[in-house]
Amino acid sequence: MFKNVFGSGFIVRTAHVILTWVITLILFLHDTGKCTEFKFIFRCQYPLKQEERGELIQPVLFVLLVLVSVLLYFAVSLMDPGFVLSDGSDLQPMRSKHCQTCQHCVRRYDHHCPWIENCVGERNHRWFVLYLAVQLLVLLWGLHMAWSGFTTAPTWQLWLRGNGVLLGTVAVVAVLSLTVLLLLGSHLYLVSLNTTTWEFMSRHRISYLKHCGSEENPFDRGALRNLWGFFCNWGAIVWEQVYFREGNDPI
C-alpha cells in the first residue's frame, strides 16, 4: 500500500519537511505577538507573547495542524495511487494511464505531482485534495502570524535589519499560499465535473473522449453527485459501466 520512504523522491520529501518546520520555528521564535505603533494605539491587544501569558491553545493548535499537514503529505506521497496490477492482458481499465515517471499504469489517473513525487490517482486523489485544504489553512494562519510580527523603525535600513527574516518568510508563505489556493480551486472544480487533470488537458488525444463534444463529459452526473462520489465513495468504480450506460445509472 505504501512505497519505501527512502526510495524515489526522498530528497523532495526531506526538503518539504525541512522547509515546513523551519518556517514554523521562525514564526515561533520571532515575536509575532508584539504590539507596534501602528496597531492598537489606544489598547494593546497582545502586550505579551501568548506563551508568556500561558495561553497555549492557539500555538498548540497551530503546531498540531502543521503536524497533520506533514502526515497527510507523507500519506499521499507514499501510498499506492491506484496502480493497475498487470495480468498479462493488453486491456487496461478505462480512465487509467501509464505514467512515464512512475513506470506504472494508474487507475483514474489525474497527474504526476513532482511536489509529492508520486502519481495522483483513484486511491489517493481525495487525500491529495484534503492535504491541499489543510496545507492552505496552515499557510494562511502562518501568514497572519508573520504579518502581525513586523516592527517599526526610524529608517528603512533599520527596518529591514529587524524584519528581514520575517519579510522573507512572508514572501515564501505568500507564494506557497497562492500556489496551493490555485491547486485546490482547480482540483475542486475538476472534481465537480468528474473529470481529471489529464482528461481536461488532453481530451483530444484520449480515445474514449475524442468523439465527445468540447462540453460533453460521459462521466458527469451533476456537481453534487460528483462531489459526493469523489469524497464518500470508497469502492472501486467500473468506469466502463458509467461510460456505456443507456438512460440508467449502474452505480
Side-chain angles (χ1 to χ4, degrees), residues 5-179:
V5 68
F6 297 106
S8 175
F10 174 74
I11 296 178
V12 175
R13 298 182 191 107
T14 302
H16 175 88
V17 173
I18 291 176
L19 179 63
T20 298
W21 290 111
V22 165
I23 292 177
T24 302
L25 286 175
I26 290 175
L27 293 175
F28 274 89
L29 293 178
H30 201 283
D31 190 1
T32 55
K34 187 185 296 182
C35 289
T36 66
E37 295 178 6
F38 296 107
K39 290 191 251 181
F40 314 114
I41 297 177
F42 300 104
R43 178 173 62 88
C44 184
Q45 193 174 26
Y46 299 103
L48 294 173
K49 290 182 180 179
Q50 290 178 326
E51 296 90 338
E52 295 172 357
R53 291 182 295 159
E55 297 181 8
L56 299 176
I57 295 179
Q58 290 190 25
V60 169
L61 286 178
F62 180 76
V63 171
L64 288 177
L65 197 61
V66 172
L67 182 60
V68 170
S69 73
V70 172
L71 292 176
L72 283 172
Y73 171 81
F74 274 98
V76 298
S77 177
L78 298 175
M79 73 185 301
D80 177 358
F83 294 137
V84 178
L85 300 179
S86 177
D87 57 359
S89 173
D90 293 331
L91 296 178
Q92 299 290 358
M94 184 172 285
R95 308 190 81 180
S96 64
K97 181 182 182 297
H98 182 79
C99 176
Q100 297 295 334
T101 304
C102 293
Q103 291 299 309
H104 284 288
C105 188
V106 181
R107 293 179 60 91
R108 196 183 178 276
Y109 176 87
D110 188 85
H111 72 290
H112 182 90
C113 180
W115 189 354
I116 64 173
E117 264 308 312
N118 195 12
C119 284
V120 175
E122 187 173 74
R123 295 190 63 179
N124 67 343
H125 196 174
R126 61 170 62 88
W127 294 108
F128 180 75
V129 173
L130 178 61
Y131 160 70
L132 290 177
V134 173
Q135 186 68 67
L136 181 61
L137 183 58
V138 169
L139 289 169
L140 292 178
W141 194 345
L143 191 64
H144 170 73
M145 290 174 59
W147 192 263
S148 69
F150 286 117
T151 58
T152 58
T155 65
W156 278 105
Q157 290 79 4
L158 291 176
W159 187 88
L160 287 174
R161 185 179 302 175
N163 298 281
V165 174
L166 200 58
L167 182 63
T169 301
V170 167
V172 172
V173 174
V175 171
L176 292 176
S177 298
L178 180 60
T179 302

